[in-house]
Amino acid sequence: MQDTRGDPSWRSSDLIRNRVLNNVNHDIESQHSSKAAASFLFKCHRAPIVRPPGTLPLAGNGLWFLQPRHKLLDWFVGANHQTGFSTFEISVPSLPPAIVISDPKNVEHVLKNNDIFVKGSFFRSRSWDLFGNGIINADGELWKVQRKAGLRFFSNANLKAFIDEALPPILDDTKKLLDEASRNETVVDMQEVFLELTTRLMGKVAYEMDMPASLPFSNAFDFASGAIGDRFQNPFWKIREYVLGASLRKALFEVQRFGDNIVSSAIAKRQGSDLVDDKSTAQPQNSLRNNLIDSLLDHIPDRRVVADAAMNYLSAGRDTTAQSLTWTLYLLLRHPEHDSKMIEEIAGCFGTKPGSPLLGDITYDKVQPATLPYTHSVFTETLRLRPPVPFELKECTIATTFPDGTWLPQGSVVIWVPWAMGRSRQIWGEDSEVFEPGRWLDTSGSIGLQKSAYEFPVFNGGPRLCLGKKLAESLTVCVLAQLTWRYKFSEVLEKERGGCGKGGDRKSQNSLTLPMEDGLPVTVQMRHG
């Protein structure tokens, strides 16, 4: 696919409008014809595939895809409860022929066969403007070279340095902000606090940059992510962007510009030259071992691909971790009995009692599952119910048969929904929708429950298993342990102060990941200094 994002003509609204009008009819016709063929092939090779509840004669399941995403996810949960592990077919104007799988054996078939199931043209055509040739979009050799660069960055030595060296000064700034909020009795949005922390941490360890979340790229990326996410649901996205696309084009340009600045700064530093002109986005810090941008430059000769890869890793590293921290704190606020158990565990681990300062630092070695199993189980249980990427899809390059006998023609799309699988009664039991961290522990209080990446696919699996899994776990547990020990958080419920109202629930906003709609407003009270 030609990269036109840096071409000034790409930003021309006339050119984009012409592309939209030329492509809309073709896309609709090709999708309808391929759906008819796929349906015929399904029936020729086996009994007809199950249709999910609420399927309409002409609209299929399309009306659900026009709903806000949290309602679409709830619909998938209902379908999962009715169909269990059965594969079902969906019909949506914005999708090619598609099936939804929930059986872990089928998920394993997809995740282990990285050459058969790829991101494909359907995914890339919608996400290209934001992710380009980065690892989120890439297949084949382009994916392999970026993963190789990431493996060097996420080494065990680096993980320890991230938690023990890079995180403490950034977390100290977070504590100063929360201390002030406690003194002044002001409301704080913890989603913004966590995003500031993870953005600064990724900027420092991955790119040797001072990267506060207040930089223009951050809001631009959040806006673009929501708009790109909508492309996967709304069959009329091209028409909408034809009319209302100026804001998205502006946001995408800002994201690309920032990616270019990351690469330019790294190259200038390598050459011993002065920093690039945009000094507001690139201030060098002391190097850690094998930072990511140097690893990418070592492995990839094309600067455009390096910039795309840098932005892809930044998104994966900052957004999903900040969102997971936000949802974890939210669930603890809604279930304070688990917060109390976490405090007891931290007190026992550090030889002190609640209300007293910790004896010693919370280091990488002390935030492992063997040391803080309950805190880990709280985070893992949050991922089960609030997966950072709630909806996944791949495209098959050849016709294939799944372990359950489902036959899928070439070019079809297969979908699995971690949000719904995390609530599957067949995997988790009758209390599948209950927040219960204790399910992960054995009778001795150690981590006992083990689920495969195919039963619990929040970190992907197979060759594309998430490189940042260990960092996300260690970072989240470290931050949670320190902040919940030091502060008592209280959720703000009043709508006039940003709350969701008494009896209301926080929902996710439309995005490629799982940001909390309108953030998480809280008040803060110091437990101790």
Side-chain angles (χ1 to χ4, degrees), residues 513-527:
T513 52
L514 200 73
M516 187 177 289
E517 189 174 53
D518 299 324
L520 180 59
V522 302
T523 57
V524 185
Q525 181 181 350
M526 292 278 293
R527 296 187 197 266

Side-chain angles (χ1 to χ4, degrees), residues 407-428:
W407 184 85
L408 195 64
Q410 178 182 357
S412 299
V413 167
V414 56
I415 297 168
W416 64 105
V417 186
W419 181 279
M421 291 185 68
R423 292 162 170 77
S424 167
R425 294 174 185 142
Q426 290 179 271
I427 297 175
W428 305 100

Side-chain angles (χ1 to χ4, degrees), residues 107-333:
V107 176
E108 181 177 11
H109 178 63
V110 172
L111 296 181
K112 282 190 172 181
N113 290 287
N114 203 30
D115 295 329
I116 297 177
F117 298 97
V118 299
K119 290 302 178 76
S121 59
F122 171 79
F123 185 92
R124 284 197 300 270
S125 66
R126 284 154 177 78
S127 62
W128 175 260
D129 293 333
L130 185 59
F131 295 126
N133 277 310
I135 193 168
I136 292 174
N137 262 354
D139 291 310
E141 291 302 316
L142 191 58
W143 168 77
K144 289 178 182 178
V145 71
Q146 292 180 62
R147 186 171 178 88
K148 184 177 180 181
L151 280 169
R152 192 175 83 174
F153 173 65
F154 287 108
S155 66
N156 287 333
N158 263 3
L159 291 179
K160 186 174 176 63
F162 297 161
I163 302 300
D164 293 349
E165 300 173 26
L167 177 61
I170 297 173
L171 192 54
D172 284 345
D173 289 342
T174 302
K175 292 175 183 177
K176 291 176 183 176
L177 184 150
L178 296 176
D179 287 352
E180 183 177 358
S182 176
R183 288 191 300 269
N184 297 333
E185 299 182 351
T186 54
V187 174
V188 178
D189 180 358
M190 288 306 296
Q191 182 163 249
E192 288 187 0
V193 171
F194 289 137
L195 186 62
E196 175 75 9
L197 185 151
T198 58
T199 304
R200 288 185 60 196
L201 181 65
M202 279 298 293
K204 183 173 184 178
V205 301
Y207 309 116
E208 293 192 30
M209 293 170 59
D210 181 15
M211 192 183 290
S214 58
L215 290 175
F217 100 91
S218 186
N219 286 334
F221 190 93
D222 293 343
F223 179 86
S225 181
I228 299 298
D230 193 55
R231 290 179 176 181
F232 290 90
Q233 285 186 225
N234 189 342
F236 309 112
W237 65 270
K238 288 186 177 181
I239 297 175
R240 187 199 61 197
E241 290 181 14
Y242 161 70
V243 178
L244 303 171
S247 296
L248 174 59
R249 292 191 292 275
K250 182 179 179 182
L252 290 168
F253 177 74
E254 176 60 35
V255 171
Q256 183 186 358
R257 185 189 72 85
F258 190 78
D260 291 339
N261 285 341
I262 291 175
V263 178
S264 296
S265 292
I267 292 175
K269 184 175 183 299
R270 281 186 160 200
Q271 295 172 343
S273 303
D274 293 335
L275 293 174
V276 291
D277 291 339
D278 191 354
K279 295 183 180 180
S280 63
T281 62
Q283 296 293 337
Q285 303 292 315
N286 293 331
S287 295
L288 291 171
R289 308 163 186 84
N290 301 323
N291 68 56
L292 179 60
I293 190 63
D294 282 338
S295 186
L296 291 170
L297 287 168
D298 287 343
H299 287 85
I300 303 170
D302 188 321
R303 284 186 57 169
R304 176 72 263 144
V305 176
V306 173
D308 288 343
M311 293 308 298
N312 279 224
Y313 272 112
L314 177 58
S315 169
R318 77 174 196 125
D319 292 340
T320 56
T321 306
Q323 292 160 16
S324 295
L325 277 163
T326 304
W327 287 111
T328 303
L329 179 59
Y330 170 72
L331 290 174
L332 286 172
L333 291 171

Side-chain angles (χ1 to χ4, degrees), residues 357-478:
L358 290 174
L359 300 178
D361 296 327
I362 299 182
T363 61
Y364 177 78
D365 292 334
K366 292 181 180 178
V367 297
Q368 301 310 306
T371 310
L372 293 174
Y374 198 85
T375 307
H376 268 270
S377 72
V378 166
F379 175 55
T380 308
E381 182 73 346
T382 299
L383 293 179
R384 181 179 74 83
L385 294 173
R386 300 292 192 280
V389 182
F391 181 99
E392 295 268 17
L393 62 84
K394 291 285 185 74
E395 187 175 315
C396 61
T397 58
I398 60 173
T400 184
T401 301
F402 284 81
D404 69 352
T406 300
W407 184 85
L408 195 64
Q410 178 182 357
S412 299
V413 167
V414 56
I415 297 168
W416 64 105
V417 186
W419 181 279
M421 291 185 68
R423 292 162 170 77
S424 167
R425 294 174 185 142
Q426 290 179 271
I427 297 175
W428 305 100
E430 289 303 313
D431 67 342
S432 61
E433 297 197 62
V434 177
F435 180 69
E436 180 45 73
R439 75 175 73 244
W440 297 92
L441 306 176
D442 60 23
T443 55
S444 69
S446 300
I447 298 292
L449 180 64
Q450 300 293 332
K451 292 292 184 182
S452 71
Y454 316 112
E455 297 170 289
F456 183 49
V458 296
F459 288 108
N460 225 314
R464 296 189 83 130
L465 180 69
C466 176
L467 288 173
K469 177 177 183 292
K470 187 65 175 177
L471 174 60
E473 292 172 339
S474 300
L475 174 61
T476 301
V477 170
C478 183

